[in-house]
Amino acid sequence: MPAWLRALEALLVPRACVRCGTPAEGGLFCARCEPLWLRPDPTPAPRPLTAWEAEVPYTGEWKEWIRRFKYPAPGLQGLDPAADAVVLALILRAARRLPPELRAQAVVPVPLHPARFRERGFDQAALLARSVARAERIAHLPRALERTRPTPRQTGLSRGERRRNLRGAFRARRALPPCVWLVDDVATTGSTLAEAARALRRRGARRVVGLCAARTPAGVRD
Ligand SMILES: [Zn+2]
């Protein structure tokens, strides 16, 4: 079964709660765990992003699920199916919270640096973007954005430093429709999303929505 279908199924079909394993009525959580659902704090989207939506804070168990999604154990041949389903379901829930006027005509992943693709073996943002596009029946434009140069890792940098580090790092390779969903697994300060949005807007996108599974709460950086 393709990843996007597993993620849709995780949203729609009763199964084990992803937090505690007891049967869930539907969706991802049992009745006991659903109220413990934590939304990230409502930090305004960094410009020129129109909006950003993430389902959970990038902390605790959510961080662990995303880590399992990004770095599957070697025996799993590239994917951890449980983590895959949870992270995809998170981003689909985030997408479904967007108001109708922010419904996109295209889904674009934040491109992974080629060197990092080689060391990791797969591109988690591209995987998420494809699943969101298929589940929501929106065009997927996986190669719409490219990195123009390697950028040093963002870890440990302040928002200003991240911005300087990323300036001009992306280029749109084609014209874009008026509203685009820009997909990544995790947002930290939003600097990467904002810089990628700038490139998309230069080629015709008027509204760019950052869509992530998780977001680092304001004041927490790593
Ligand atoms: Zn539960």
Side-chain angles (χ1 to χ4, degrees):
M1 189 188 296
W4 68 274
L5 206 55
R6 273 206 310 275
L8 257 190
E9 190 200 54
L11 276 184
L12 303 173
V13 180
R15 52 150 59 203
C17 171
V18 302
R19 293 192 74 246
C20 70
T22 63
E25 285 300 303
L28 287 174
F29 301 97
C30 69
R32 200 156 48 91
C33 291
E34 182 74 37
L36 303 176
W37 185 254
L38 285 173
R39 303 265 307 113
D41 58 279
T43 311
R47 293 211 292 184
L49 275 180
T50 309
W52 60 349
E53 193 61 74
E55 190 60 19
V56 290
Y58 187 53
T59 52
E61 66 195 283
W62 306 119
K63 207 165 173 171
E64 187 54 33
W65 278 115
I66 287 169
R67 214 190 50 74
R68 277 177 59 184
F69 169 68
K70 281 169 88 155
Y71 308 103
L76 292 171
Q77 294 178 337
L79 276 183
D80 179 323
D84 195 32
V86 169
V87 175
L88 291 174
L90 291 178
I91 200 163
L92 285 178
R93 278 176 76 129
R96 287 171 179 201
R97 187 172 303 101
L98 288 167
E101 67 272 18
L102 293 182
R103 172 101 186 153
Q105 294 86 38
V107 183
V108 173
V110 171
L112 186 67
H113 190 275
R116 228 156 282 162
F117 180 74
R118 280 195 296 277
E119 76 186 33
R120 195 175 293 163
F122 77 107
D123 181 341
Q124 74 280 355
L127 202 75
L128 288 173
R130 190 182 58 189
S131 297
V132 168
R134 290 192 179 159
E136 296 295 311
R137 299 171 190 276
I138 297 173
H140 180 214
L141 305 178
R143 283 171 293 278
L145 271 180
E146 65 178 352
R147 292 209 182 234
T148 56
R149 57 180 171 82
T151 49
R153 286 185 192 277
Q154 299 281 84
T155 309
L157 300 183
S158 73
R159 181 180 281 241
E161 287 164 338
R162 284 171 188 248
R163 206 169 284 164
R164 278 191 294 281
N165 189 18
L166 284 166
R167 195 155 291 157
F170 298 101
R171 180 170 58 206
R173 302 170 72 191
R174 48 163 296 155
L176 279 310
C179 185
V180 174
W181 287 352
L182 181 60
V183 166
D184 209 349
D185 53 346
V186 178
T188 305
T189 60
S191 306
T192 303
L193 291 169
E195 194 57 37
R198 203 181 311 281
L200 294 171
R201 291 174 76 103
R202 272 193 217 111
R203 294 298 304 276
R206 290 198 296 276
R207 283 159 295 158
V208 179
V209 178
L211 195 59
C212 300
R215 188 163 74 223
T216 306
V220 181
R221 297 285 177 262
D222 67 356

